[in-house]
Amino acid sequence: RLLLLLLVAVAASAFTAGYLLRGAPVGPCDTRGDPVDVATARAGGAASSPLGFMKSKLVLLVSHELSLSGGPLLLMELAFLLRQVGCQVVWITNQRPEGTNDVSYSLEHKMLNHGVQVLPARGQEAIETALKADLVILNTAVAGKWLDAVLKDNVPQVLPKILWWIHEMRGHYFKLEYVKHLPLVAGAMIDSHITVEYWKTRTHDRLNIQMPQTYAVHLGNSKELTEVAEDNVARRVLREHIREFLGVRSEDLLFAIINSVSRGKGQDLFLQAFHQSLQLIQHQKLKVPKVHAVVVGSDMSAQTKFETQLREFVAKNGIHDRVHFINKTLAVAPYLAAIDVLVQNSQARGECFGRITIEAMAFKLPVLGTAAGGTTEIVLDGSTGLLHPAGKEGVTPLAKNMVRLASHVEQRVSMGNKGYARVKERFMEHHMAERIAVVLKEVLHKSRQHPHS
């Protein structure tokens, strides 16, 4: 058992490193190559990458936080893609945790090792970098607080060269203190078309401000995850180890939700639907594999009230042998290899995009998702997965969809294959780089035309 745990830990560590180093170049601090190799690697990267025009440009990235959440990690991935082509990249974290934080320290160390300069959020050096930069990218709506707090009188000079990358869908982010400068920046980039329209309507109706030129840019999977997803041996080994760790058989059927545990992500409704699916299977006397629910994204140390309620629901209904809680992790590939169906159950307006959806599709997994937000732009209902309503009214339809896929292996396989083909067609890393390149070109051109530039 200890050996198994060690193997899983090693696999998880390897995949964590891969995620943190998505698109990472051979940097000046990398001991694997001499300076000639570094120059050659960057020259080749600039020539082949759609972001090659960013070579020698100075880009300042401002993140509201540095954590294992989607926004900061996505910005880090862009930082590495820009470094690949010889772009000078500077990183600022606006809200740093007090005291020592192992996660922040580790992520900063990774960036430094790959040529990304990390600066304090406040101080003259941050101001001078913002003034000199060819492009400033604010990451998430909350990062807007950095402008007035740090740049003060210099804000008007920097606004014309800001690209604001927005990932939020929740109403509490629509505060004037966050986004009052939004109409004056060079452009905004948002992860889905439906979220673009939501932001345009919400800022106009609630805040009485207009969005700048706004671009919908779908994300893509990293090369590292794609390599694992397409390696049959790696997938099989990971599947066997994770399933043995969970105590489930190779023929059992695993439905998983992979998100940070919170009410907005819908783990409570997922477990309710799973419980209903067990009742339906029993009532209809269906001959299906033994089904399990896996909740990846738990926080064993925090044990929030919401998570306590989830565990109480499991105990109350006597399904503790069918439900497995996994601590939050950056290394999702081992779990994608081990499960059979992904459930994307984000509530209200859904996900802005929901990258875990395309990651699951890369592993040829069908997706059961809420008919809300960016999920509707990824999952083709009835083809690559099945959609159900958000909210309590979606519990029974989700339960029925789970029973449907449990009962029809050929449908699971067909949906998984079609989802994989859709990812290869439009959700790869090079697709994302191409889409971002179009935006950066336009924003740079616009900023050069501005009298403040």
Side-chain angles (χ1 to χ4, degrees), residues 1 5 27 32 95 178 355 408 413:
R1 189 70 171 181
L5 288 170
R32 291 173 296 175
Q95 297 176 354
Y178 297 162
R355 199 177 194 186
H408 298 90
V413 172

Side-chain angles (χ1 to χ4, degrees), residues 160-171:
K161 52 185 177 183
I162 288 179
L163 172 64
W164 209 320
W165 200 358
I166 295 172
H167 313 286
E168 296 97 334
M169 278 283 279
R170 304 291 181 259

Side-chain angles (χ1 to χ4, degrees), residues 377-433:
E377 298 177 20
I378 304 172
V379 177
L380 300 180
D381 191 23
S383 175
T384 65
L386 299 169
L387 299 178
H388 58 274
K392 293 181 180 179
E393 59 269 31
V395 170
T396 298
L398 173 57
K400 291 179 178 178
N401 287 342
M402 294 169 79
V403 173
R404 175 177 169 181
L405 291 190
S407 307
H408 298 90
V409 61
E410 72 286 347
Q411 210 166 61
R412 293 201 307 272
V413 172
S414 174
M415 287 181 173
N417 288 334
K418 289 176 181 177
Y420 173 76
R422 184 164 169 78
V423 164
K424 297 289 283 187
E425 180 186 338
R426 62 180 65 199
F427 296 124
M428 302 291 284
E429 184 177 88
H430 68 89
H431 295 131
M432 181 175 73

Side-chain angles (χ1 to χ4, degrees), residues 64 66 104 154 157 182 185 324-325 335 368 414 431 444 450:
H64 73 294
L66 186 54
S104 296
N154 296 300
Q157 291 175 260
L182 190 54
V185 303
H324 311 269
F325 289 92
Y335 298 99
L368 301 179
S414 174
H431 295 131
L444 283 173
H450 198 280

Side-chain angles (χ1 to χ4, degrees), residues 166-211:
I166 295 172
H167 313 286
E168 296 97 334
M169 278 283 279
R170 304 291 181 259
H172 60 268
Y173 292 107
F174 291 90
K175 295 183 178 179
L176 207 56
E177 63 177 303
Y178 297 162
V179 298
K180 66 181 181 180
H181 295 299
L182 190 54
L184 302 176
V185 303
M189 185 165 69
I190 300 179
D191 305 333
S192 64
H193 297 278
I194 194 167
T195 312
V196 167
E197 294 308 312
Y198 175 66
W199 268 84
K200 286 181 178 180
T201 302
R202 190 82 177 205
T203 50
H204 178 270
D205 295 347
R206 182 169 176 173
L207 303 178
N208 197 29
I209 62 175
Q210 297 291 329
M211 290 287 288

Side-chain angles (χ1 to χ4, degrees), residues 305-318 325:
K305 180 181 178 181
F306 179 67
E307 183 163 342
T308 301
Q309 291 171 347
L310 297 181
R311 293 172 184 270
E312 288 174 350
F313 175 85
V314 171
K316 178 183 176 182
N317 290 282
F325 289 92

